[in-house]
Amino acid sequence: MGNMLSAARARMHRAADKLDLAQETVERLDYPTETLAFSIPLRRDDGSLEQLKGWRCRYDSTLGPTKGGIRFHPSVCEDEVQTLAFLMTMKCALMGLPFGGGKGGVSVDAGDLSLMEKERVARGYVRSAARILSPDRDVPAPDVATGTREMAWMVDEYGALTGGIEPHAFTGKPVALGGIEGRTPATGRGGLLALEAMRESLGLDGSDGLSIALQGFGNAGTWFARAAVDAGHRVVAISDSSGMVSDAQGLDIDAVIEAKEKGGSVTDYDGGETSDDGSAIVEVECDVLVLAALGGVIADADDVGKLSCKAIVEIANRPILSAADEPLREAGIDVVPDILANGGGVTISHAEWVQGRTGLGWDAEEVDDYLQEKMEDAAEQVRDLMEDKGLDMRTAAYGVALRRLCAAISATGTAEDFGG
Ligand code: NAD
């Protein structure tokens, strides 16, 4: 087992230790059910042939078909794919969705691919992973460097392979191809709903607008920022891979989005202070630091020592590593954990899957209502367990997920049933 997965599992065991759960049910979640590793031959535009490495992991399907994105990034490896599939297992259980956890990826620099090369990788991925995929078995979605266009190529390739029309084999598709209104903003908007629902627990109660520093200004980050400003908060700093822009009075989000679209970076914003060093975002004085870019940003006590925020919202997957958990507790900085804060994306993927399965469309209002209901319900369950057992928010979130998973696992038989 890889180091990443064992560190992620340690958080699950921490929660299991605090709750009265049968050890054998928790141990069922220690290893992934299956991981398919494959090569994807890529014919480059210059005629050369390259072999890329790809993976698809179905971590656990106790609660339903496995669900999780496909990532194109040079750092993708088996350990990362399995760890992210483990997190999806916990997230789907916490959000009360009828899904297990899965994940996939290709080790490739998407920025180095032409559009046609990217299409070949997307279609090649489906050809290689087809034997593990199916709308009732394993349902992919977009992740880093994949989006609606890649899902359109993939659903098209999958249909060509199976000879069926199965739009619910993938989520995050374009609306024109069976996608759902509101899937793209769902992760960012859901992140804000989670923050609002947890304000009191974070010690940020009151109705005053919060000051927010935001790392990452892609899909999740931009929609979080829009929703935050609409709700009366101030986004005082934003970073992306090229640098950082800040203004203590609050940035004009629409203008930052426009500047990034035109110039390629948030530092093209005309106003506020700009810096080429985006990593300094974690040091910005603010109420809430929102991490919406990468994994492993706050890795240890040294990183925690640099923070000037009162609370953190993890919109990215595993931006805080477990070695930083104790230093954060000591520093009194509470964290809205990834499995809750970014659960809005898979929640609306569920709506899209239901839409494809039933053939009945959802309108934007129904999608928004479903997002709000699921985020608030999950947050309430976490708050109740925090109060009941005196747990921190991450441990309580794992606790809610584990209770659901373990109830389902026990339903298939326990030590007592078998005379143990
Ligand atoms: P994206 O590719 O659209 O955006 C990523 C952003 O991060 C970009 O603005 C990029 O410039 C920025 N970035 C990259 N390196 C950076 C650095 N060193 N410093 C600051 N910024 C940096 O991705 P996304 O869909 O917005 O996803 C962001 C994170 O949220 C990922 O970890 C993803 O797994 C997670 N997430 C996304 C969704 C979703 O529905 N989009 C759902 C759940 C989790």
Side-chain angles (χ1 to χ4, degrees):
M1 187 189 19
N3 292 338
M4 259 187 245
L5 180 57
S6 65
R9 276 186 354 179
R11 284 172 167 163
M12 172 182 78
H13 283 287
R14 183 185 154 80
D17 289 347
K18 307 271 177 189
L19 304 173
D20 190 19
L21 296 170
Q23 194 56 29
E24 68 171 34
T25 55
V26 180
E27 283 171 4
R28 276 269 299 269
L29 298 164
D30 272 346
Y31 300 101
T33 302
E34 59 178 330
T35 308
L36 187 65
F38 43 85
S39 67
I40 303 170
L42 168 65
R43 181 70 65 191
R44 304 292 300 232
D45 292 344
D46 66 6
S48 62
L49 188 69
E50 221 170 281
Q51 296 295 332
L52 305 178
K53 283 188 199 159
W55 294 266
R56 184 74 197 169
C57 172
R58 295 177 67 244
Y59 197 92
D60 180 79
S61 59
T62 306
L63 295 177
T66 46
K67 188 85 195 76
I70 296 171
R71 172 176 292 204
F72 290 176
H73 195 274
S75 72
V76 170
C77 61
E78 185 168 284
D79 189 17
E80 185 187 76
V81 168
Q82 291 182 337
T83 305
L84 293 170
F86 166 83
L87 286 179
M88 284 302 294
T89 307
M90 295 294 142
K91 189 185 308 177
C92 292
L94 168 62
M95 297 310 298
L97 301 172
F99 286 140
K103 202 77 183 187
V106 182
S107 175
V108 64
D109 182 355
D112 182 43
L113 299 173
S114 71
L115 197 58
M116 281 195 285
E117 288 170 341
K118 211 171 179 194
E119 178 174 359
R120 284 177 217 132
V121 177
R123 289 183 183 275
Y125 186 91
V126 173
R127 283 195 298 277
S128 297
R131 76 192 94 147
I132 210 173
L133 307 177
S134 144
D136 293 315
R137 190 161 188 273
D138 182 35
V139 187
D143 197 75
V144 174
T146 58
T148 51
R149 185 175 51 201
E150 287 70 25
M151 293 307 108
W153 290 327
M154 288 188 182
V155 83
D156 185 56
E157 189 69 26
Y158 187 75
L161 285 171
T162 63
I165 316 295
E166 294 174 306
H168 53 309
F170 293 80
T171 61
K173 303 176 295 291
V175 172
L177 203 65
I180 197 164
E181 294 284 0
R183 169 62 185 88
T184 305
T187 303
R189 285 183 185 162
L192 184 73
L193 287 165
L195 170 60
E196 298 281 9
M198 288 303 184
R199 266 188 83 152
E200 212 179 308
S201 310
L202 296 169
L204 298 170
D205 37 342
S207 55
D208 291 351
L210 299 167
S211 59
I212 293 170
L214 172 63
Q215 181 188 56
F217 206 52
N219 171 24
T222 48
W223 284 102
F224 178 91
R226 280 187 175 115
V229 168
D230 287 350
H233 305 297
R234 261 178 315 131
V235 179
V236 295
I238 300 177
S239 72
D240 64 11
S241 50
S242 321
M244 177 168 88
V245 59
S246 60
D247 183 343
Q249 303 307 309
L251 294 159
D252 175 343
I253 297 305
D254 288 336
V256 182
I257 291 172
E258 201 179 317
K260 186 168 164 89
E261 273 168 8
K262 275 194 195 144
S265 167
V266 295
T267 55
D268 292 295
Y269 175 70
D270 196 11
E273 282 178 40
T274 56
S275 153
D276 291 340
D277 179 16
S279 64
I281 190 93
V282 299
E283 296 167 33
V284 171
E285 201 173 323
C286 58
D287 292 319
V288 184
L289 173 65
V290 178
L291 301 173
L294 310 161
V297 178
I298 311 291
D300 53 27
D302 285 350
D303 291 335
V304 173
K306 294 180 198 157
L307 299 172
S308 294
C309 57
K310 296 178 186 152
I312 300 178
V313 177
E314 291 187 309
I315 289 196
N317 288 308
R318 49 183 297 284
I320 298 175
L321 302 187
S322 46
D325 287 350
E326 198 48 46
L328 281 166
R329 273 190 276 274
E330 282 165 15
I333 300 174
D334 290 325
V335 178
V336 184
D338 47 10
I339 60 170
L340 174 64
N342 70 30
V346 70
T347 298
I348 301 310
S349 275
H350 174 242
E352 183 178 338
W353 182 76
V354 170
Q355 177 178 271
R357 249 185 154 204
T358 59
L360 292 169
W362 291 42
D363 64 28
E365 203 181 319
E366 287 170 315
V367 170
D368 279 352
D369 288 350
Y370 186 59
L371 179 66
Q372 184 161 356
E373 182 200 316
K374 292 301 260 183
M375 294 306 302
E376 288 177 357
D377 181 53
E380 189 182 334
Q381 307 255 355
V382 173
R383 279 196 316 261
D384 287 351
L385 194 56
M386 286 170 75
E387 278 164 32
D388 186 27
K389 300 272 181 193
L391 303 177
D392 63 85
M393 208 178 288
R394 191 189 306 278
T395 306
Y398 275 81
V400 173
L402 271 180
R403 277 185 168 169
R404 288 192 173 129
L405 280 157
C406 289
I409 292 168
S410 321
T412 63
T414 62
E416 289 107 67
D417 294 338
F418 296 109

